[in-house]
Amino acid sequence: MQKYISAFLFLLFIWLGNCYAQSKIDILHNKLELEFDWQKKQAKGIATIKFKVLTATNNIQLDAGFLTINSIKLANITNLKFIYNGNDDKLGLYIELDKIYTTNTEIEIEIDYNTNYINQSDPNNLGGSYGRGIRFFHPTQSNPIKIKQLWSNGEPEGNKYWYPCLESIQDVRTTELIATVDDSLTVITNGRLLNRKQETKGKRTFHYK
């Protein structure tokens, strides 16, 4: 029996590996430049995605969960056409590139967007509504001492609700976050803090990589 189980798992890993190999792109780096609207419980900003083409193509698809996509362009400012119904379908954001790119070409695109999904409290889940998107907390009339904070808990499939991405734990990439928040707040995330800058109007920006 153990031999059969081992053989099944081996075949399953091969199948998963083949599924990943058939992907058109390999994301190399994700960079997010974000600000936050506490009243609307939204994040808004720019997602810069650098990827390598695995199979010659003139289009790519990304995961997006109830986002508003304002524009998509190449790093050289060329605007790209895209199709997105605003839902959270798997690979639901279709992006048409400006030409056919060959294997191993590295491309960088910039997506101007904002979030719409609001992660509500869930008594059965500490992360709120299944860890999707961003959880906003702030003082209320009923709980005036609640600490103002926001955080994300996107694994395994919740990150697409706060930035466009490929939700695959097999697609390993580096990350970068530039977040502007109220100067009474701080930002903690993966990576090394490169810079902390005081902005005007009571804001400051943190840059992690």
Side-chain angles (χ1 to χ4, degrees):
M1 174 62 74
Q2 187 169 354
K3 289 183 179 179
Y4 289 118
I5 293 175
S6 299
F8 170 75
L9 291 174
F10 178 68
L11 290 173
L12 178 61
F13 291 145
I14 291 177
W15 179 77
L16 288 172
N18 287 338
C19 287
Y20 176 61
Q22 291 170 8
S23 176
K24 291 181 179 180
I25 64 171
D26 172 23
I27 292 184
L28 305 175
H29 187 69
N30 275 350
K31 176 183 177 182
L32 301 179
E33 301 173 71
L34 297 178
E35 296 186 18
F36 304 95
D37 186 322
W38 289 83
Q39 288 189 330
K40 295 181 179 180
K41 296 185 178 181
Q42 290 181 339
K44 53 184 179 180
I46 304 291
T48 302
I49 302 174
K50 182 179 181 180
F51 60 89
K52 179 171 65 175
V53 175
L54 299 179
T55 303
T57 185
N58 65 349
N59 66 83
I60 66 169
Q61 290 174 271
L62 297 175
D63 293 307
F66 304 115
L67 303 178
T68 295
I69 306 296
N70 301 309
S71 66
I72 302 177
K73 62 184 180 182
L74 292 170
N76 66 3
I77 316 300
T78 301
N79 287 312
L80 299 177
K81 297 179 181 179
F82 63 92
I83 300 174
Y84 176 54
N85 65 9
N87 211 321
D88 63 345
D89 301 327
K90 183 67 177 174
L91 298 176
L93 174 56
Y94 174 91
I95 303 171
E96 184 178 322
L97 301 175
D98 60 330
K99 64 179 181 179
I100 295 176
Y101 287 89
T102 56
T103 305
N104 291 325
T105 304
E106 293 188 5
I107 306 171
E108 192 170 88
I109 62 173
E110 298 178 359
I111 303 176
D112 185 309
Y113 76 101
N114 63 264
T115 64
N116 295 297
Y117 184 83
I118 298 178
N119 187 315
Q120 302 287 4
S121 176
D122 180 352
N124 299 315
N125 192 319
L126 181 63
S129 51
Y130 306 102
R132 296 171 179 167
I134 298 176
R135 290 277 277 137
F136 283 82
F137 296 87
H138 54 80
T140 63
Q141 287 186 340
S142 60
N143 190 355
I145 63 172
K146 181 179 286 188
I147 298 174
K148 185 176 183 178
Q149 60 177 292
L150 62 84
W151 46 266
S152 69
N153 179 27
E155 294 183 0
E157 293 186 347
N159 285 321
K160 66 183 176 184
Y161 296 94
W162 70 285
Y163 68 94
C165 59
L166 273 184
E167 286 201 317
S168 170
I169 59 174
Q170 294 174 299
D171 188 18
V172 180
R173 77 293 305 263
T174 53
T175 62
E176 189 171 356
L177 176 67
I178 300 174
T180 300
V181 297
D182 296 346
D183 58 12
S184 61
L185 301 176
T186 192
V187 176
I188 301 171
T189 187
N190 294 347
R192 182 164 57 94
L193 179 61
L194 299 182
N195 188 32
R196 180 172 51 209
K197 182 176 66 173
Q198 187 67 42
E199 308 285 358
T200 58
K201 300 180 180 179
K203 302 281 186 179
R204 57 179 177 166
T205 298
F206 294 77
H207 184 183
Y208 281 88
K209 190 174 184 180

